């Protein structure tokens, strides 16, 4: 069956039906999300934030750099400065400085915060850590003490951790304002800590700017005195060396000798390259000279004009030999003559190749001799350079030391001047423009926002979960599922209704939706073919417990109420249960009638209260049901009852367990497939349908059984109104009477 666009198109109404069908799941998710968020919003401890604002004077955000020509004022990048201040605020040294300044180790609030942090760590992190370490092999444990943790001499490391965790800063865009924020559960503490951090940052920043220059100035003063003495001594030593050796400069002579040496090295490199090329060419020719068949693999040989001509002659002779060899034998005079010519040509090729080999050998020897001569010349020139270098070593050492001492002395003088000027700067480029005040409202939790987000997430999350559950549900629940996934006619839905023992839907409550379902199924079967309605109807399912026997029995009762003779046969020879619905014994039954056909009239039982309804129970359990149901006697039995009943309903075993139903489908006019709604997986039902289609069975349609119509608003609405219709109709009849 081809699927059209209308079959696959999904409308908004389909989504709405999914949401209504899965409303309990969506509502549960919504309630959990909103409830959890509401609990957090009203039970979480309020956290307040104090904020102090600092103004950064970018005109003072500069440094003095002493370069050639005088002091130069260099402006620093504001973004770089702000990032530096943020890092300072997050450092342990600044946190320790703030704790000491405000004496936080004596503050009751921070003492309580430390106790809570220690308790949380012992209760949570330590227990998890212990659980993990217990699973690992033992190893040498490092010594852990309070002294090791406080190796930097902090006032209280745990106190510093609390400060760093709650102290933050930000810079609003396009401003020179820096906001220092501190979060705490007490609004007064939040304001005091923000203001204290702002003042401490100003002091700390000023100290960081000045102190390095003061220390540098002291150190440079001591070093300059030492450097001045070294400069004087090294210059006197250099002068005495010049006067004693009579040396002025080695640069000019060394430059000439070095240039000559470089030229020799260049020639040597070129000669080595030519020698390597000659050696490669010689070795290549030598490797193939005794193998004529390999001469063609050397491009140099094949590029030889003489050899090219000989190779052409060789190919012509080989072509002639090939043509004559097909006409004459190997001893023919022409063949012998051509072979002789071929051998002569090949010898000439080898001879020419040997000439090329001798030439390559000569070139190689010339290159080697040239290389040896250049190496000897280079060694002589190198020795001359080394001799000159040794003479200049002492002079260069003394001259270099003197120049180095002079440069170092000049550098120390410049740095001393720079440090002296910078150490006098005592103006900070930070100042407070707005102190923090105790906040009136907590920073978090923001109850209104949390509840709004909870409602939003719960609503859309619930819808998503509803669609996810619907997507993961691979069962058949509605008529649309049957037509979409099975491409089969849909007969009707049988609601999940409790039936009293010994009664049927259609007789226990004729006005119920279940009773009307079986009347609809009966009508659908009759309309399957107006000319020849199906007489023998096979009722089966994919797996057990889908209610096929209940459907068979109620369908038989519905057909019998139309004044038609109906026979229902229990063909599930492995598990008889049809007789229990009608209150009969299973034995004797179908298996007895097949063994003794003359007993057929006596084993067919009439159902009380239904004059045209008859039952043929299963009989004794059979060891080979498939062979019995496919036997000729079974076909004869069906042919016999066809003549005496208007409809024969066969209650067959499940398709996925046994092949009995496929065997019975060959002697049936149509098959009804019973599917447990919301229970049996679609792939399993599809497999059953494929089995019936492979057996070429006439599938009349699908009945969805055990459907909980209270979970489907459409079916529930239909059921309520249908029952109301019947009750209203009865009331009108009573009034007429």
């Amino acid at each position: 069956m081809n699927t059209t666009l209308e079959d696959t198109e999904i409308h908004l109404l389909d989504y709405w039906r999914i949401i209504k069908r899965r409303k309990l799941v969506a509502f549960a998710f919504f309630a959990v999300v909103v409830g959890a968020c509401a609990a957090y919003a009203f039970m979480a401890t309020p956290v307040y934030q104090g904020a102090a604002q600092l103004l950064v004077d970018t005109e003072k955000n500069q440094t003095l750099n002493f370069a050639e020509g005088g002091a130069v004022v260099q402006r620093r990048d504001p973004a770089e400065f702000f990032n530096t201040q943020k890092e300072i605020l997050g450092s342990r040294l600044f946190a320790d400085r703030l704790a000491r300044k405000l004496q936080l180790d004596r503050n009751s609030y921070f003492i309580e915060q430390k106790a809570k942090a220690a308790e949380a760590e012992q209760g949570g992190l330590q227990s998890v850590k212990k659980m993990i370490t217990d699973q690992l092999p033992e190893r040498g444990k490092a010594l852990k003490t309070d002294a090791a943790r406080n190796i930097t001499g902090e006032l209280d490391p745990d106190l510093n951790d609390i400060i760093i965790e709650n102290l933050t800063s930000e810079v609003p865009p396009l401003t020179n304002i820096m906001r220092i924020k501190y979060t705490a559960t007490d609004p007064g503490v939040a304001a005091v800590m923000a203001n204290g951090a702002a003042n401490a940052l100003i002091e700390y920043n000023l100290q960081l700017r000045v102190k390095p220059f003061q220390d540098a100035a002291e150190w440079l003063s001591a070093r300059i005195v030492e450097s001045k003495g070294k400069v004087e001594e090294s210059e006197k030593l250099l002068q005495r060396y010049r006067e004693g050796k009579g040396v002025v400069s080695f640069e000019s002579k060394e430059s000439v000798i070095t240039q000559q040496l470089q030229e020799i090295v260049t020639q040597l490199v070129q000669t080595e390259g030519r020698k390597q090329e000659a050696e490669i060419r010689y070795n290549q020719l030598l490797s193939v000279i005794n193998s004529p068949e390999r001469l063609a693999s050397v491009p140099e040989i094949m590029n030889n004009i003489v050899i090219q001509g000989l190779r052409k002659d060789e190919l012509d002779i080989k072509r002639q030999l090939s043509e004559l060899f097909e006409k004459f034998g190997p001893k023919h005079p022409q063949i012998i003559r051509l072979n002789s010519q071929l051998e002569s040509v090949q010898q000439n090729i080898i001879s020419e190749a040997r000439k090329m080999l001798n030439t390559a050998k000569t070139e190689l020897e010339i290159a080697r001799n040239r290389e040896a001569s250049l190496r000897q010349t280079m060694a002589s020139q190198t020795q001359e350079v080394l001799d000159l270098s040794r003479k200049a070593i002492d002079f260069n050492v003394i001259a270099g030391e003197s120049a180095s001492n002079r440069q170092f002395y000049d550098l120390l003088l410049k740095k001393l001047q720079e440090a002296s000027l910078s150490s006098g700067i005592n103006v900070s480029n930070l100042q407070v423009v707005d102190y923090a005040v105790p906040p009136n409202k907590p920073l978090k939790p923001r109850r209104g926002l949390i509840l709004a987000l909870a409602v939003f997430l719960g609503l859309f999350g619930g819808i998503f979960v509803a669609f996810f559950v619907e997507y993961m549900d691979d069962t058949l629940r509605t008529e649309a599922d049957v037509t979409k996934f099975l491409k089969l006619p849909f007969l009707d839905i049988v609601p999940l209704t409790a039936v009293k023992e010994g009664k049927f839907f259609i007789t226990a409550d004729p006005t119920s939706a279940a009773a009307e379902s079986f009347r609809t199924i009966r009508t659908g079967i009759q309309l399957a073919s107006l000319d020849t309605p199906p007489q023998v109807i096979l009722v089966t399912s994919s797996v057990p417990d889908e209610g096929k026997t209940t459907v068979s029995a109620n369908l038989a009762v519905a057909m019998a109420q139309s004044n038609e003779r109906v026979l229902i046969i229990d063909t599930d020879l492995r598990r008889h249960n049809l007789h229990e619905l009608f209150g009969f014994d299973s034995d004797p039954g179908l298996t007895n009638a097949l063994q003794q056909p003359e007993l057929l009239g006596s084993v067919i039982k009439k159902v009380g209260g239904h004059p045209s309804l008859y039952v043929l129970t299963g009989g004794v359990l059979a060891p080979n049901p498939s062979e019995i149901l496919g036997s000729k006697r079974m076909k004869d039995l069906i042919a016999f009852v066809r003549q005496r009943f208007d409809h024969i309903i066969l209650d067959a075993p499940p398709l996925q367990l046994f092949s009995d139903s496929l065997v019975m489908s060959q002697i049936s006019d149509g098959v009804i497939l019973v599917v447990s709604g919301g229970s049996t997986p679609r792939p399993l039902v599809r497999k059953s349908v494929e089995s019936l289609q492979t057996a070429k069975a006439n599938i009349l349609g699908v009945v969805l059984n055990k459907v909980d119509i209270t979970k489907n608003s459409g079916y529930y609405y239909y059921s309520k109104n249908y029952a109301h219709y019947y009750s209203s109709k009865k009331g009108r009849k009573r009034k007429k009477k």
Side-chain angles (χ1 to χ4, degrees):
M1 181 182 295
N2 296 328
T3 304
T4 63
L5 182 61
E6 295 179 356
D7 297 331
T8 59
E9 185 177 359
I10 299 178
H11 300 279
L12 292 178
L13 185 60
D14 297 325
Y15 294 122
W16 175 243
R17 288 170 179 167
I18 293 174
I19 294 173
K20 294 180 70 176
R21 185 160 56 246
R22 303 293 181 181
K23 59 185 177 184
L24 293 180
V25 176
F27 179 76
F29 182 87
F30 177 82
V32 169
V33 171
V34 174
C37 293
Y40 168 77
F42 289 97
M43 295 178 64
T45 303
V47 176
Y48 299 87
Q49 186 180 76
Q53 297 192 99
L54 294 178
L55 174 63
V56 179
D57 188 356
T58 56
E59 295 297 328
K60 298 177 182 178
N61 184 25
Q62 56 196 20
T63 59
L64 293 177
N65 181 31
F66 292 87
E68 294 183 2
V72 179
V73 178
Q74 291 185 337
R75 296 175 59 84
R76 289 183 291 177
D77 185 9
E80 178 184 347
F81 177 78
F82 283 125
N83 291 331
T84 302
Q85 301 309 307
K86 289 182 179 180
E87 293 298 324
I88 291 175
L89 287 171
S91 65
R92 300 191 66 84
L93 185 60
F94 180 81
D96 184 67
R97 184 185 185 92
L98 181 60
R100 292 177 186 273
K101 179 181 179 180
L102 300 180
Q103 299 181 351
L104 300 182
D105 57 326
R106 303 178 185 177
N107 188 286
S108 59
Y109 173 83
F110 284 94
I111 293 174
E112 182 182 356
Q113 291 296 313
K114 284 177 54 181
K116 290 182 179 180
E119 182 180 355
E121 183 178 2
Q122 291 294 333
L125 181 60
Q126 291 297 328
S127 60
V128 174
K129 183 177 180 181
K130 184 177 182 303
M131 181 178 63
I132 296 175
T133 54
D134 289 343
Q135 305 299 324
L136 299 176
E138 295 185 0
R139 62 176 183 176
K141 297 182 179 179
L143 181 62
K144 294 184 179 180
T145 62
D146 293 338
R149 172 166 168 74
N150 198 10
I151 193 171
T152 57
E154 300 176 6
L155 177 64
D156 190 336
D158 296 330
L159 189 59
N160 293 342
D161 292 338
I162 296 175
I163 295 174
I164 293 173
E165 181 180 358
N166 294 282
L167 184 62
T168 58
S169 63
E170 68 174 9
V171 179
L174 303 177
T175 67
N176 291 331
I177 298 296
M178 183 176 186
R179 293 175 183 169
I180 299 178
K181 302 178 180 180
Y182 192 87
T183 56
T185 56
D186 187 306
V189 172
V192 170
M193 289 298 296
N195 294 330
N199 293 326
L201 182 62
I202 294 175
E203 297 175 1
Y204 189 61
N205 188 65
L206 182 59
Q207 182 181 0
L208 289 178
R209 287 163 57 93
V210 174
K211 192 175 185 303
F213 298 107
Q214 294 175 346
D215 296 340
E218 295 178 1
W219 184 85
L220 289 171
S221 297
R223 301 287 82 76
I224 283 178
V225 176
E226 299 177 1
S227 179
K228 184 177 180 181
K230 291 183 179 180
V231 170
E232 293 176 353
E233 183 180 355
S234 60
E235 288 184 350
K236 291 178 181 180
L237 180 61
L238 179 61
Q239 184 61 28
R240 287 196 299 268
Y241 186 85
R242 286 175 175 172
E243 294 175 356
K245 300 296 183 180
V247 177
V248 179
S249 174
F250 292 90
E251 288 80 2
S252 58
K253 185 174 182 180
E254 184 178 4
S255 175
V256 173
I257 298 176
T258 303
Q259 184 176 1
Q260 293 176 354
L261 180 60
Q262 290 177 350
E263 293 177 356
I264 294 173
V265 171
T266 303
Q267 295 178 11
L268 178 60
V269 171
Q270 295 175 354
T271 303
E272 286 179 345
R274 287 193 292 270
K275 183 199 74 171
Q276 291 178 357
E277 293 177 358
E279 187 174 4
I280 292 172
R281 184 164 59 253
Y282 174 75
N283 292 332
Q284 190 177 29
L285 293 173
L286 184 62
S287 63
V288 300
I289 196 64
N290 294 322
S291 301
E293 66 279 1
R294 296 177 57 191
L295 293 176
S297 63
V298 180
E300 187 173 356
I301 294 177
M302 298 311 299
N303 292 333
N304 188 292
I305 299 177
V306 177
I307 293 179
Q308 287 180 356
L310 294 174
R311 285 286 295 172
K312 182 177 180 182
D313 296 340
E314 180 185 13
L315 293 175
D316 292 340
I317 294 173
K318 287 183 177 180
R319 180 178 54 76
Q320 295 177 20
L321 281 172
S322 177
E323 294 175 355
L324 294 176
F325 194 80
E326 295 179 356
K327 298 179 180 180
F328 309 105
K331 297 182 179 181
H332 192 272
Q334 293 185 13
I335 298 294
I336 294 173
R337 179 179 58 79
L338 290 175
N339 283 330
S340 176
Q341 293 178 1
L342 178 61
E343 182 178 357
S344 176
V345 170
Q346 291 177 345
Q347 290 297 328
N348 291 336
I349 292 175
I350 295 174
S351 176
E352 188 64 27
R354 289 189 179 277
K355 291 180 181 179
M356 294 178 66
L357 177 64
N358 293 332
T359 302
K361 183 177 180 181
T362 301
E363 293 177 354
L364 177 60
E365 291 176 353
I366 293 173
R368 287 175 176 173
N369 294 334
R370 174 63 174 169
E371 179 187 9
S373 176
L374 287 174
R375 287 188 182 277
Q376 184 177 2
T377 303
M378 185 182 68
S380 175
Q381 195 73 12
T382 303
Q383 186 62 38
E384 186 177 355
V385 172
L386 293 176
D387 292 341
L388 182 62
S389 298
R390 278 194 295 269
K391 296 177 182 179
I393 287 176
D394 294 338
F395 177 82
N396 290 334
V397 168
I398 298 173
E401 184 177 357
S402 177
S404 177
N405 290 337
R406 168 59 65 180
Q407 291 176 357
F408 184 67
Y409 178 73
D410 294 339
L411 179 62
L412 288 177
L413 284 177
K414 291 180 180 180
K415 292 298 180 181
L416 177 60
Q417 294 173 359
E418 180 180 355
S420 298
L421 289 176
S422 299
S423 62
I425 299 175
N426 57 3
V427 179
S428 175
N429 62 337
L430 296 176
Q431 58 179 332
V432 178
V433 294
D434 189 9
Y435 281 105
V437 296
N440 297 324
K441 296 182 180 179
L443 175 67
K444 57 181 181 180
R446 300 172 63 180
R447 294 172 181 173
L449 179 61
I450 291 176
L451 292 178
L453 290 177
V455 172
F456 178 80
L457 294 177
L459 180 61
F460 286 94
I463 295 175
F464 173 79
V465 171
F467 279 100
F468 179 76
V469 173
E470 181 71 19
Y471 174 77
M472 295 301 293
D473 185 4
D474 66 342
T475 61
L476 301 173
R477 292 180 177 272
T478 63
E479 176 184 358
D481 294 341
V482 174
T483 55
K484 178 180 179 180
F485 295 104
L486 300 183
K487 305 296 188 294
L488 291 175
F490 175 74
L491 296 178
D492 206 350
I493 284 180
V494 179
L496 181 63
T497 307
V499 183
K500 297 181 180 180
E501 184 178 357
K503 294 184 178 181
F504 301 95
F505 298 103
I506 200 163
T507 57
D509 187 2
T511 65
S512 65
E516 184 60 26
S517 298
F518 286 106
R519 285 191 283 267
T520 303
I521 295 172
R522 178 192 62 189
T523 304
I525 294 173
Q526 293 174 348
L527 296 178
S529 178
L530 295 177
D531 297 332
T532 56
Q535 185 179 7
V536 180
I537 302 170
L538 179 71
V539 180
T540 184
S541 63
S542 299
V543 293
D545 299 326
E546 293 196 76
K548 61 176 182 57
T549 301
T550 304
V551 172
S552 301
N554 283 274
L555 179 61
V557 174
M559 288 183 170
Q561 288 183 343
S562 300
N563 296 324
E564 294 180 316
R565 289 173 57 84
V566 180
L567 172 63
I568 180 170
I569 304 176
D570 189 352
T571 59
D572 191 348
L573 302 185
R574 293 179 176 84
R575 181 185 176 187
H576 304 324
N577 52 15
L578 183 64
H579 61 279
E580 297 176 356
L581 291 177
F582 292 96
F584 295 115
D585 293 333
S586 178
D587 188 17
L590 177 61
T591 55
N592 304 91
L594 291 176
Q595 293 174 358
Q596 301 179 16
E598 63 275 7
L599 299 178
L600 180 60
S602 61
V603 297
I604 295 178
K605 305 173 183 65
K606 186 175 182 179
V607 179
H610 300 280
S612 58
L613 179 59
Y614 298 84
V615 176
L616 178 55
T617 59
V620 297
L621 296 177
N624 52 348
S626 297
E627 289 78 0
I628 293 176
L629 295 176
S631 63
K632 183 177 182 303
R633 290 190 177 186
M634 185 65 188
K635 296 178 181 178
D636 295 339
L637 186 147
I638 296 298
F640 177 78
V641 296
R642 277 180 182 271
Q643 300 174 2
R644 287 162 177 76
F645 295 94
D646 298 318
H647 294 288
I648 300 97
I649 298 177
L650 305 179
D651 181 20
L655 283 163
Q656 294 303 316
L657 298 182
F658 313 105
S659 61
D660 302 358
S661 297
L662 297 178
V663 174
M664 295 296 297
S665 66
Q666 304 302 309
I667 59 175
S668 303
D669 298 332
V671 179
I672 295 177
L673 183 62
V674 179
V675 178
S676 180
S679 176
T680 308
R682 289 196 297 262
L684 198 61
V685 180
R686 189 179 290 111
K687 185 177 180 181
S688 301
V689 172
E690 292 174 355
S691 299
L692 291 172
Q693 291 174 344
T694 303
K696 297 182 179 180
N698 178 26
I699 304 177
L700 299 176
V702 177
V703 174
L704 281 182
N705 193 29
K706 300 181 181 180
V707 177
D708 189 358
I709 60 176
T710 61
K711 295 182 179 180
N712 190 306
S713 58
Y715 295 130
Y716 181 66
Y717 176 82
Y718 165 78
S719 175
K720 287 179 60 180
N721 284 274
Y722 187 80
H724 175 72
Y725 169 79
Y726 263 89
S727 62
S728 300
K729 188 175 181 181
K730 289 181 179 180
R732 288 195 299 269
K733 288 182 179 180
R734 284 195 296 268
K735 288 180 180 180
K736 289 180 180 180
K737 291 180 180 180

